[in-house]
Amino acid sequence: MNTWLIIIGMAGITFSVRYFFLAQSIPFRVTPAMQRILKYSAPAVLTALTVPILLFPQGSIDISLHNPFLLAGGFVCALSLLRLSTLKTVIISMIFFWLIR
């Protein structure tokens, strides 16, 4: 029962936060300064998600050539510099990770 209350509560919080920004009835405007700040939110979130996976695959730091996650991360960065499409980058990097793993 406690788990269901937590799930329903988190769903309510998520809905209310998103509704605030998407509802037409609430007069909310994003200022130009806030728009500039929000441009950094996606890179910040992606960095926060990927760095622990790349550097701590077994729970402790591993910066070596034996870390396939770190090698694949470097490979993805190199592919992204080539300006390939997102789909091509994902497919090629997944094949590379599969081969080195």
Side-chain angles (χ1 to χ4, degrees):
M1 182 65 181
N2 216 7
T3 304
W4 284 106
L5 288 175
I6 292 172
I7 291 172
I8 292 169
M10 292 305 293
I13 290 169
T14 302
F15 174 78
S16 64
V17 168
R18 293 183 181 173
Y19 182 78
F20 178 75
F21 289 107
L22 298 175
Q24 298 294 327
S25 60
I26 300 173
F28 179 76
R29 301 280 180 244
V30 179
T31 64
M34 184 62 81
Q35 287 178 347
R36 284 193 306 273
I37 292 170
L38 286 174
K39 288 182 182 179
Y40 296 105
S41 64
V45 169
L46 288 173
T47 302
L49 289 172
T50 57
V51 167
I53 295 169
L54 296 177
L55 297 180
F56 300 94
Q58 303 296 327
S60 61
I61 193 161
D62 182 11
I63 304 174
S64 69
L65 293 177
H66 300 292
N67 181 355
F69 295 96
L70 189 60
L71 291 175
F75 185 72
V76 168
C77 289
L79 281 180
S80 66
L81 290 174
L82 295 175
R83 301 282 186 193
L84 296 176
S85 70
T86 304
L87 183 60
K88 286 180 185 177
T89 303
V90 169
I91 291 172
I92 293 169
S93 61
M94 286 176 66
I95 292 170
F96 177 77
F97 183 70
W98 179 71
L99 289 173
I100 65 171
R101 182 108 182 196

